[in-house]
Amino acid sequence: KVYTDYFYNSEDFDKNHEMGYKDLHIPEGVEAQPLIVPPVLEPDKQENNDVWFTIDSQEGDFQFLPGKKTHTWGYNFPVLGKTMVLTRGQHVHVTLKNSLPELTTYHWHGMELQGPGNDGACHSPVYPGEEKHIDFTVKQPAALTWLHAHPCPSTAMQVWMGLAMGVVITDANEAKLPIPKTYGKDEFPIILQDRIFHEDNQFDYKADYNAMGIFGDTPIINGVVRPYVDVTTQKVRLLFLGGSNRREWRLHFSDDLVMTQIAGDDSFLEHPVKLTKVLIGPGERQQVVVDFSNYKEGDVVNLYTDDFKLVEFRIHSYEKDDSVIPDTLFKPYDPVVNPNSPVPHVTMDNHNMINGKLFSMERIDMKQELMNAEYWDVTNTNDKVNGMLHPFHTHGAHFLVVSRNGKEPYPNERGVYKDTIEVAPQETVRIKVYFQNTGVFMYHCHIIEHEDAGMMAQIQIVDPKEPDKKYHLMDMETL
Ligand code: C2O
Ligand code: CU
Ligand code: CU
């Protein structure tokens, strides 16, 4: 079976100009350029199972458009970053360096790390000119996760300046799957973002600020406005990352070329799903394999969002590839929920609130026991007429999607570890959440302006052996 819709109701899509929606366009004079494949971040050293990296938040200048370069921020790179590749089981040491003029934090979105220190959200600032060391063991399956800045309340501005990069986790299961996995040859990260360029091609976050979320009018894909990919293999694997502050991407190919979705946020899918359309909300990741066997050298296949052409795939000669994607890719762990566990109800409300409250750094909104699965009901309370999809995200854990308004979850969100999920107006999504690390973690809407404005809350994960453990929570003033 091939699914041919986005699953979500198109009424709920972002396309209303009164809510700040902007159509995409390619500025005049921009020529097609090869897609930038972020280089793999080289470790500082490696010894047996231990690996050391340095991540430096730095200022730079980057040529997005003809004419003046744009002033940007990035990780070891003028914009975005390099790709960090980690293997499950590895012990990772990271030096977090801040060469920016203001404080930043390093949040590992999709990684299951201890909070708040390693998780790297608001409570873990690194001040300008300083550095900090963290270390952790990778305990999760193969996935594309990501690193982005997360200082409260300027996450959106720092991400807009460029602070976001891919963190790829590999494992033994992936190694044996017959799927494309040669980074840069038949496997490409596709970081989907949009920006607004002002005079002299500069960003101006303040001028563009909108509490509903900022749309850009110019696409940047891995930092390239009008990218093409040279296809030299029959099959190509695309690792999509929704990196926009607000925009949801509604992707499809020319000729309705079928994509085989193999992975979501934090794992492979239990069973691959064939589809012609895939929606990627802010913060989400979806991985697909496309098979170009019906095309020949010289053909061009385009990737669109709605009816806007985003990426050109230029077909070159390739060897025949008869490999078949297996029917089972991954066995998710599905913990049993204790019937006595509470079922917290999390609401994403108007005026950027969660459960009727704005975010406070010093308030713990929920508690959950370590290694104890709970159902959460996540509701978007917006009304149908003026509402929008809110991408709900939780730090420090993955979850399984159990139901949407009591019905089956969508085909591409079954049997997969998720950490970000779109919730439509008047919809309740039941998820099964399981934390393997203690700490204080945020959960929030991943439209980053909503998050900064207050659509965020905190959960404390309690180890019953250490029920009174206290965490040092920062407040906005002492930051
Ligand atoms: Cu991408 Cu608080 O997260
Ligand atoms: Cu996160
Ligand atoms: Cu939101």
Side-chain angles (χ1 to χ4, degrees), residues 7-9 12 375-378 384 400-415 421-432:
F7 305 128
Y8 299 88
N9 194 332
D12 302 327
Y375 292 122
W376 296 7
D377 282 335
V378 181
K384 275 277 178 202
L400 296 167
V401 183
V402 177
S403 63
R404 285 187 176 268
N405 274 350
K407 301 205 190 77
E408 283 272 277
Y410 297 142
N412 63 346
E413 58 190 19
R414 294 178 200 153
I421 185 97
E422 289 279 17
V423 186
Q426 297 294 310
E427 187 176 38
T428 296
V429 182
R430 172 165 285 199
I431 57 180
K432 188 190 279 191

Side-chain angles (χ1 to χ4, degrees), residues 320-337:
K320 200 161 159 38
D321 176 354
D322 291 324
S323 62
V324 178
I325 298 177
D327 222 30
T328 300
L329 299 169
F330 172 69
K331 277 278 167 218
Y333 171 56
D334 191 356
V336 174
V337 176

Side-chain angles (χ1 to χ4, degrees), residues 183-429:
Y183 184 84
K185 179 168 188 263
D186 60 11
E187 178 197 305
F188 301 95
I190 305 281
I191 303 176
L192 301 156
Q193 295 181 310
D194 52 354
R195 292 291 182 272
I196 301 167
F197 293 93
H198 290 266
E199 244 190 67
D200 289 332
N201 297 336
Q202 301 308 306
F203 296 148
D204 188 343
Y205 184 80
K206 272 208 186 107
D208 296 324
Y209 181 75
N210 181 341
M212 298 235 256
I214 305 184
F215 281 104
D217 56 9
T218 306
I220 55 167
I221 313 300
N222 295 359
V224 182
V225 173
R226 207 182 139 191
Y228 68 83
V229 174
D230 284 313
V231 174
T232 60
T233 55
Q234 181 185 316
K235 290 183 185 172
V236 167
R237 172 174 168 198
L238 302 172
L239 282 53
F240 293 122
L241 188 161
S244 284
N245 285 30
R246 156 103 187 243
R247 183 180 297 273
E248 70 226 14
W249 300 84
R250 298 184 283 265
L251 303 180
H252 60 99
F253 279 97
S254 41
D255 305 330
D256 281 330
L257 181 60
V258 173
M259 301 176 249
T260 304
Q261 185 168 347
I262 57 168
D265 297 340
D266 298 318
S267 77
F268 282 101
L269 300 189
E270 182 166 15
H271 306 294
V273 172
K274 287 189 188 307
L275 29 75
T276 58
K277 293 192 173 80
V278 63
L279 183 143
I280 299 170
E284 278 191 297
R285 287 88 65 211
Q286 317 275 17
Q287 296 188 29
V288 303
V289 172
V290 283
D291 183 336
F292 293 106
S293 54
N294 287 333
Y295 296 90
K296 52 175 196 325
E297 198 174 345
D299 288 347
V300 174
V301 182
N302 295 313
L303 176 70
Y304 292 87
T305 183
D306 293 330
D307 53 6
F308 181 85
K309 189 173 111 185
L310 271 186
V311 188
E312 244 179 59
F313 290 82
R314 299 182 178 175
I315 313 296
H316 295 263
S317 67
Y318 54 79
E319 262 164 47
K320 200 161 159 38
D321 176 354
D322 291 324
S323 62
V324 178
I325 298 177
D327 222 30
T328 300
L329 299 169
F330 172 69
K331 277 278 167 218
Y333 171 56
D334 191 356
V336 174
V337 176
N338 178 334
N340 298 321
S341 291
V343 181
H345 190 198
V346 180
T347 63
M348 292 187 281
D349 310 322
N350 280 333
H351 309 294
N352 291 322
M353 294 195 278
I354 292 221
N355 291 100
K357 289 181 197 142
L358 292 172
F359 179 63
S360 161
M361 284 178 79
E362 294 152 286
R363 186 184 69 229
I364 299 291
D365 300 276
M366 257 209 291
K367 286 191 177 176
Q368 182 167 332
E369 216 174 88
L370 182 68
M371 309 276 209
N372 183 46
E374 276 185 14
Y375 292 122
W376 296 7
D377 282 335
V378 181
T379 302
N380 174 347
T381 59
N382 289 175
D383 64 52
K384 275 277 178 202
V385 184
N386 294 306
M388 57 171 94
L389 296 171
H390 290 281
F392 178 79
H393 167 58
T394 184
H395 289 205
H398 65 259
F399 51 78
L400 296 167
V401 183
V402 177
S403 63
R404 285 187 176 268
N405 274 350
K407 301 205 190 77
E408 283 272 277
Y410 297 142
N412 63 346
E413 58 190 19
R414 294 178 200 153
V416 58
Y417 294 170
K418 294 283 291 170
D419 61 56
T420 307
I421 185 97
E422 289 279 17
V423 186
Q426 297 294 310
E427 187 176 38
T428 296
V429 182

Side-chain angles (χ1 to χ4, degrees), residues 14 16 18 84 93 99 106 115 125 140-141 171 173 257 270 286 303 314 373 375 385 418 432 454:
D14 252 331
N16 181 343
E18 262 128 68
M84 192 169 182
H93 308 250
S99 306
Y106 301 74
Q140 60 192 90
D171 67 3
N173 175 49
L257 181 60
E270 182 166 15
Q286 317 275 17
L303 176 70
R314 299 182 178 175
Y375 292 122
V385 184
K418 294 283 291 170
K432 188 190 279 191

